[in-house]
Amino acid sequence: MLVIGIAGGSGSGKTTVVNAITEKLKERVVVIPQDSYYKDSSHLPMEVRQQINFDHPDAIDFKLLCDQLKDLKNGKAIEQPVYSYITCSRSKTERVTVEPAEVIIIEGILVFTCKELRDQMDIKIFVDADDDDRLMRVMARDILERGKTVETVIERYTKTVKPMYLQFIEPSKRYADIIIPQGGHNKVAIDIISATIEKSLREQEEAK
């Protein structure tokens, strides 16, 4: 089993990279998104939930994420939580069953900030992109997919997204084995990474 971590700022193109890799590897890969592991805040009033800093490592339930990754590596299926950005809470009834696969991709802005999680990764990839490009993608995503207004997106970017990127996410780049410039548009880098993954899988199979 090969565990790949993919990090980078919001709007950097991580999802594009993940999709490109999964398209090449098909059923051999499963993706574990960090966003599914935000801590549940359903016990808090909605106005308090909406003030949570989702770009800070403390917002992530890293213990559950690490424990479930260990289960997958041990050949056990997991019940991945489902988190809603609309209600800012974890579903009480809905779960996603994830079966083990040859390749596990852990994807999210903060996945390199947790040492225990990093230590379980075989390959660490950081997706880099210009600040302006990231802001445009964040605005498009939050407005279209999460029902935010332009004003709230800009306010959040100024107060949390950018400061947290500078404090936690950008410094975590030093843990990466591979840095992809130009975000998810760097086809050459994605092809090289896919070839490296396939080579590692072949080597593991030959070593059995």
Side-chain angles (χ1 to χ4, degrees):
M1 185 177 290
L2 199 65
V3 179
I4 301 168
I6 299 181
S10 294
S12 61
K14 296 184 300 299
T15 301
T16 303
V17 174
V18 170
N19 290 342
I21 294 173
T22 54
E23 176 63 26
K24 289 181 179 295
L25 298 176
K26 305 297 183 184
E27 70 281 351
R28 304 176 78 182
V29 60
V30 295
V31 179
I32 308 296
Q34 165 209 283
D35 288 5
S36 295
Y37 292 86
Y38 280 112
K39 293 176 180 175
D40 183 41
S41 57
S42 58
H43 59 289
L44 299 173
M46 179 57 74
E47 60 268 21
V48 176
R49 297 184 211 170
Q50 293 174 340
Q51 298 303 314
I52 293 173
N53 183 354
F54 291 104
D55 294 79
H56 194 286
D58 288 348
I60 308 298
D61 190 347
F62 278 118
K63 183 182 185 305
L64 177 61
L65 177 52
C66 289
D67 287 346
Q68 292 201 333
L69 177 55
K70 289 174 184 174
D71 285 341
L72 286 171
K73 294 176 75 172
N74 288 326
K76 302 176 183 176
I78 63 168
E79 295 299 313
Q80 181 179 288
V82 173
Y83 190 88
S84 169
Y85 277 103
I86 305 300
T87 62
C88 300
S89 62
R90 191 182 291 176
S91 173
K92 300 294 185 184
T93 57
E94 192 178 358
R95 295 288 188 276
V96 176
T97 301
V98 179
E99 299 286 346
E102 291 179 77
V103 178
I104 299 175
I105 295 178
I106 310 293
E107 176 270 325
I109 61 174
L110 295 162
V111 296
F112 291 170
T113 65
C114 175
K115 184 180 185 303
E116 183 181 354
L117 188 59
R118 287 198 312 271
D119 288 346
Q120 295 192 62
M121 298 174 183
D122 300 296
I123 301 174
K124 294 180 286 294
I125 300 167
F126 190 94
V127 184
D128 217 354
D130 291 337
D131 290 348
D132 290 345
D133 292 341
R134 292 193 296 104
L135 174 57
M136 292 301 101
R137 291 178 193 144
V138 167
M139 289 186 68
R141 180 198 65 197
D142 286 2
I143 293 169
L144 295 175
E145 299 178 14
R146 300 176 182 177
K148 308 294 185 182
T149 64
V150 173
E151 291 77 13
T152 57
V153 173
I154 293 175
E155 181 182 11
R156 176 175 171 264
Y157 184 86
T158 304
K159 288 185 176 180
T160 61
V161 175
K162 186 174 181 180
M164 294 302 98
Y165 177 81
L166 295 174
Q167 184 175 353
F168 295 108
I169 302 165
E170 201 277 338
S172 76
K173 181 162 57 175
R174 69 182 185 271
Y175 299 115
D177 303 303
I178 302 168
I179 297 174
I180 301 180
Q182 303 167 37
H185 299 294
N186 194 327
K187 185 177 184 301
V188 173
I190 293 171
D191 287 344
I192 291 172
I193 290 167
S194 299
T196 300
I197 294 169
E198 291 171 336
K199 180 175 179 289
S200 296
L201 290 173
R202 285 196 304 271
E203 290 173 349
Q204 288 183 3
E205 291 171 357
E206 291 169 358
K208 290 179 180 178

